[in-house]
mmCIF file of all heavy atoms in Angstrom:
data_model
loop_
_atom_site.group_PDB
_atom_site.id
_atom_site.type_symbol
_atom_site.label_atom_id
_atom_site.label_comp_id
_atom_site.label_asym_id
_atom_site.label_seq_id
_atom_site.Cartn_x
_atom_site.Cartn_y
_atom_site.Cartn_z
ATOM 1 N N MET A 8 -28.697 -16.452 2.450
ATOM 2 C CA MET A 8 -29.238 -16.958 3.735
ATOM 3 C C MET A 8 -28.148 -17.692 4.509
ATOM 4 O O MET A 8 -27.354 -18.409 3.946
ATOM 5 C CB MET A 8 -30.373 -17.953 3.459
ATOM 6 C CG MET A 8 -31.689 -17.312 3.099
ATOM 7 S SD MET A 8 -32.475 -16.470 4.469
ATOM 8 C CE MET A 8 -32.664 -17.795 5.657
ATOM 9 N N HIS A 48 -39.752 -19.391 1.925
ATOM 10 C CA HIS A 48 -40.325 -18.294 2.725
ATOM 11 C C HIS A 48 -41.846 -18.205 2.516
ATOM 12 O O HIS A 48 -42.471 -19.178 2.132
ATOM 13 C CB HIS A 48 -39.604 -16.980 2.432
ATOM 14 C CG HIS A 48 -38.114 -17.131 2.474
ATOM 15 N ND1 HIS A 48 -37.392 -17.185 3.639
ATOM 16 C CD2 HIS A 48 -37.201 -17.319 1.469
ATOM 17 C CE1 HIS A 48 -36.112 -17.380 3.374
ATOM 18 N NE2 HIS A 48 -35.958 -17.464 2.057
ATOM 19 N N GLU A 63 -38.341 -11.637 -1.784
ATOM 20 C CA GLU A 63 -37.930 -12.950 -2.272
ATOM 21 C C GLU A 63 -39.102 -13.928 -2.302
ATOM 22 O O GLU A 63 -39.249 -14.713 -3.243
ATOM 23 C CB GLU A 63 -36.806 -13.513 -1.386
ATOM 24 C CG GLU A 63 -36.300 -14.843 -1.895
ATOM 25 C CD GLU A 63 -35.469 -15.627 -0.886
ATOM 26 O OE1 GLU A 63 -35.007 -15.045 0.101
ATOM 27 O OE2 GLU A 63 -35.315 -16.846 -1.114
ATOM 28 N N ASN A 67 -40.072 -16.288 -5.508
ATOM 29 C CA ASN A 67 -40.044 -17.750 -5.358
ATOM 30 C C ASN A 67 -41.397 -18.360 -5.718
ATOM 31 O O ASN A 67 -41.475 -19.402 -6.379
ATOM 32 C CB ASN A 67 -39.691 -18.133 -3.915
ATOM 33 C CG ASN A 67 -38.332 -17.604 -3.474
ATOM 34 O OD1 ASN A 67 -37.518 -17.213 -4.297
ATOM 35 N ND2 ASN A 67 -38.101 -17.596 -2.170
ATOM 36 N N HIS A 125 -35.496 -20.613 -4.181
ATOM 37 C CA HIS A 125 -35.144 -19.392 -3.457
ATOM 38 C C HIS A 125 -34.521 -18.369 -4.406
ATOM 39 O O HIS A 125 -34.209 -18.676 -5.558
ATOM 40 C CB HIS A 125 -34.126 -19.712 -2.352
ATOM 41 C CG HIS A 125 -34.726 -20.402 -1.171
ATOM 42 N ND1 HIS A 125 -34.986 -19.766 0.009
ATOM 43 C CD2 HIS A 125 -35.139 -21.686 -1.013
ATOM 44 C CE1 HIS A 125 -35.525 -20.629 0.866
ATOM 45 N NE2 HIS A 125 -35.632 -21.802 0.270
ATOM 46 N N SER A 126 -34.341 -17.147 -3.890
ATOM 47 C CA SER A 126 -33.604 -16.107 -4.609
ATOM 48 C C SER A 126 -32.528 -15.594 -3.668
ATOM 49 O O SER A 126 -32.761 -15.443 -2.474
ATOM 50 C CB SER A 126 -34.541 -14.977 -5.031
ATOM 51 O OG SER A 126 -35.634 -15.502 -5.756
HETATM 52 ZN ZN1 ZN B 314 -34.430 -17.783 0.622
#
Side-chain angles (χ1 to χ4, degrees):
M8 282 290 301
H48 312 282
E63 183 196 343
N67 300 344
H125 285 256
S126 306

